[in-house]
Amino acid sequence: MKHWFSDGAFRAIVRNASILGSSNVVSALLSLLALGCAGRGMTPALFGTLVVVQAYAKTVSDIAKFQTWQFVVQFGTPALAHKDIKRFRDVTGFSFGLDLASGIVAALGGMILLPLLSHSVGISTEDFWWALAYCTLIPTMTAATPTGILRSIDRFDLIAVQQAVTPFLRAVGSVIAYFAHLGFPGFLATWYVSSLVGDIALWIFAVQELRRQNIDHALRPGLFGPARRIKGAWDFVWTTNFSHSIWSARNAGTNVLVGVMLGPTAAGLFKVAMTFFDAAGTPASLMQKSFYPEIMRLDPASTRPWKLGLRSGALAGGLGVLVALLVFVVGKPLISAVFGAKYLESYSLLQVMCGALVVSMAGFPLESLLYIASRQRAALVAQGLAALIYVGLLIGLTHHFGIMGAAVAYFGGQCLEAFFFLIPTLSSFRRRHTLSFYKPEEVQE
C-alpha cells in the first residue's frame, strides 16, 4: 500500500476524492435540513408533488443529457497535457454547443409532454403551471461542459465548493419558507432558485479558470465544424448518452417495477434500502470522478493506467467491505431512527444488497478504462445487456420470492454489470500496445 501512494496519480485520485467527499458530507446534511423543512411545512400530498416536479425535470434532463463532461475529459485532457490549446477550444466549443442544443430540445420536450403525463405522475391541475415553470430549469440541468473543464484542469476544489452552493441556498430558503409559512410555491421557488444559482456558479468557476489559464474563446459554441476536426466525436457523445440513459432508466425504473409487482408499500421499503445503499456507495462515486481525468493524462499503451485502475479498484473494494460491515452493525438502528420502526424490513434487503455494494465499488474503474481504450461501444453493450438481464431477474425473482427477490435481483444485476465490463476491459488491456495516446494529425484543419 505504501508503494501505491508513491504514485503521484494515485495520490491525486485519493486527494481529489477526499476534497469532493468533504463537500458531499456538508451537502448531504444541508439537503436533509431542506427536506425536513419541506416535509414539515407542507402536507404529505404537497411534499410529494414537490418531489415529483423535481424528479420529472431531472428525468427529462437525464434522458436528453449528453455526457459532455466525459467528452471534455476524454479529448480535452490530453490536449491540455500537450499544450494544444486549439484542440482544447474545439473540444469545449463542441461540448458547449451540444449542451445548448440538447438543453433546448429537452426543455421543449418536457413542456410538451407534461400536459400528457402530469395526471399519471401525480401533478394536480392547480399545480400544473408551477411544474411547467420548473421545466425552464432543464437546460441548465443538462449542461455538463463546465464540470468537464474543471476536471480537466484539476480544479476539484472549485467543484467541491459548487456542490455545496445549491444545498446551502436550498436549506436557507427552506428554513425561511417554513417559518414564513410560504407553502408549496415558496418551497418550489426555493428549489428552483437554488438549483439555478448553483448551476450558474459552476459556469462562473469554469470561465474564471479558463481566463486564469489564458485560454480564450473556449466557450464559443459549435457542432459540425469542431466535430469534423475531432475524430470520433459524434460516436463518443451518442454512445455515452445512450449508456447514461440506460443507467438512469434502470435506477429510476427499479422502484416502479417493485411497486407494480408488489405494491407501493414494498416500493417504499425498497426505496429506503436503496437510499442507504447509494449513501454507502458514495466513496466509489467520488473516486470515479477523480479517477477518469487522471488516467486521461496517461498513455493507455503503457501499463500505468491499468495498474492505477487495479489499485483504485482494490482500495474502493476494501472500503466497500468496511462500509458493508458498518451497515450490518448500525443499519438497523439507523433505519429505525431516521424512517421509523415500520421500515425495519428494509434492513434485511440492505443486508443482501451489501454484496452488490462491494462489487460495484471494486469495479468502478472498468468503465473509465474502456473509455481510454476508445471502447465506449463495448461499455454501452455491457450496460445495456446487464440492464436487460437485470429487469428479467427483477420481475422473475420478485414474482416468486417477493421483495427479498428484488434485493437478490439487484445483487445479481450488479455482478452481471461488473462481469460484462470486465470482459472487454481485459481484452483492451491485452491489446493495449495498439492504443494511441495522442494523434497530432487529428487537430489539423
Side-chain angles (χ1 to χ4, degrees):
M1 183 68 75
K2 183 178 179 180
H3 173 67
W4 293 3
F5 281 92
S6 64
D7 187 332
F10 186 77
R11 290 198 307 272
I13 291 171
V14 176
R15 182 191 67 244
N16 290 332
S18 301
I19 293 172
L20 294 175
S22 61
S23 171
N24 200 269
V25 171
V26 174
S27 299
L29 295 175
L30 291 172
S31 297
L32 187 61
L33 174 61
L35 283 173
C37 290
R40 293 175 181 272
M42 294 183 290
T43 65
L46 285 176
F47 176 70
T49 301
L50 176 67
V51 172
V52 167
V53 169
Q54 194 273 340
Y56 176 79
K58 187 176 187 306
T59 299
V60 172
S61 66
D62 280 348
I63 292 174
K65 185 176 186 176
F66 287 89
Q67 298 303 292
T68 48
W69 75 266
Q70 289 184 333
F71 177 79
V72 174
V73 171
Q74 177 81 8
F75 293 89
T77 303
L80 282 179
H82 288 77
K83 302 187 185 306
D84 190 345
I85 303 303
K86 183 179 180 182
R87 167 82 162 184
F88 186 76
R89 288 195 193 102
D90 277 341
V91 171
T92 54
F94 176 77
S95 177
F96 185 31
L98 202 58
D99 278 345
L100 287 175
S102 61
I104 293 171
V105 170
L108 292 175
M111 290 179 173
I112 292 171
L113 289 175
L114 187 60
L116 305 175
L117 300 176
S118 58
H119 180 72
S120 300
V121 299
I123 299 175
S124 63
T125 304
E126 54 267 29
D127 297 323
F128 169 78
W129 293 106
W130 292 108
L132 192 67
Y134 199 88
C135 287
T136 59
L137 194 62
I138 291 176
T140 64
M141 297 172 70
T142 59
T145 297
T147 302
I149 290 172
L150 293 175
R151 289 180 182 178
S152 296
I153 303 177
D154 200 24
R155 290 307 306 267
F156 285 84
D157 55 331
L158 294 178
I159 296 176
V161 171
Q162 185 274 335
Q163 284 182 343
V165 171
T166 295
F168 174 75
L169 294 177
R170 186 168 295 173
V172 172
S174 296
V175 170
I176 295 172
Y178 174 73
F179 285 104
H181 306 288
L182 299 180
F184 177 76
F187 283 105
L188 188 69
T190 292
W191 286 37
Y192 182 98
V193 172
S194 61
S195 296
L196 181 62
V197 173
D199 292 337
I200 291 174
L202 191 62
W203 282 102
I204 292 174
F205 289 156
V207 170
Q208 289 179 338
E209 190 59 27
L210 286 171
R211 288 176 178 172
R212 194 180 72 85
Q213 300 283 337
N214 294 319
I215 304 175
D216 55 350
H217 307 302
L219 291 178
R220 183 175 291 171
L223 285 176
F224 301 104
R228 284 194 296 268
R229 296 189 291 270
I230 305 172
K231 183 179 179 182
W234 285 114
D235 178 70
F236 185 88
V237 296
W238 277 113
T239 303
T240 52
N241 172 268
F242 288 142
S243 181
H244 181 75
S245 296
I246 292 171
W247 179 85
S248 299
R250 171 185 167 177
N251 285 354
T254 293
N255 273 291
V256 175
L257 281 175
V258 172
V260 169
M261 297 292 294
L262 301 174
T265 301
L269 289 171
F270 198 82
K271 176 62 177 177
V272 171
M274 279 299 301
T275 299
F276 278 88
F277 179 89
D278 291 338
T282 298
S285 64
L286 296 178
M287 286 190 69
Q288 185 174 32
K289 291 177 180 179
S290 58
F291 175 77
Y292 185 34
E294 205 61 40
I295 62 171
M296 284 309 303
R297 299 183 176 93
L298 306 178
D299 186 357
S302 69
T303 60
R304 193 179 177 197
W306 308 93
K307 288 181 179 179
L308 196 61
L310 185 62
R311 292 169 180 173
S312 300
L315 178 61
L319 289 174
V321 172
L322 294 178
V323 171
L325 292 175
L326 184 64
V327 168
F328 270 88
V329 174
V330 304
K332 191 171 184 178
L334 196 58
I335 290 174
S336 179
V338 176
F339 293 97
K342 57 185 178 181
Y343 288 99
L344 279 179
E345 188 180 348
S346 61
Y347 175 66
S348 299
L349 309 180
L350 194 57
Q351 287 178 305
V352 175
M353 295 165 68
C354 277
L357 176 67
V358 177
V359 172
S360 64
M361 289 182 70
F364 90 85
L366 297 176
E367 184 176 9
S368 297
L369 290 172
L370 285 178
Y371 286 150
I372 69 164
S374 299
R375 296 288 305 277
Q376 57 267 16
R377 290 189 181 181
L380 173 61
V381 171
Q383 189 79 262
L385 191 57
L388 186 64
I389 298 177
Y390 167 66
V391 171
L393 283 174
L394 183 64
I395 295 174
L397 292 177
T398 302
H399 177 73
H400 287 93
F401 302 104
I403 192 169
M404 188 57 69
V408 174
Y410 193 83
F411 171 71
Q414 290 291 331
C415 292
L416 285 170
E417 182 177 301
F419 177 71
F420 290 144
F421 270 103
L422 180 62
I423 293 175
T425 302
L426 290 175
S427 173
S428 298
F429 172 72
R430 294 192 184 99
R431 298 188 300 105
R432 65 187 182 280
H433 61 279
T434 65
L435 303 176
S436 59
F437 180 37
Y438 189 72
K439 295 181 179 179
E441 67 271 15
E442 288 182 9
V443 305
Q444 300 299 322
E445 291 286 342

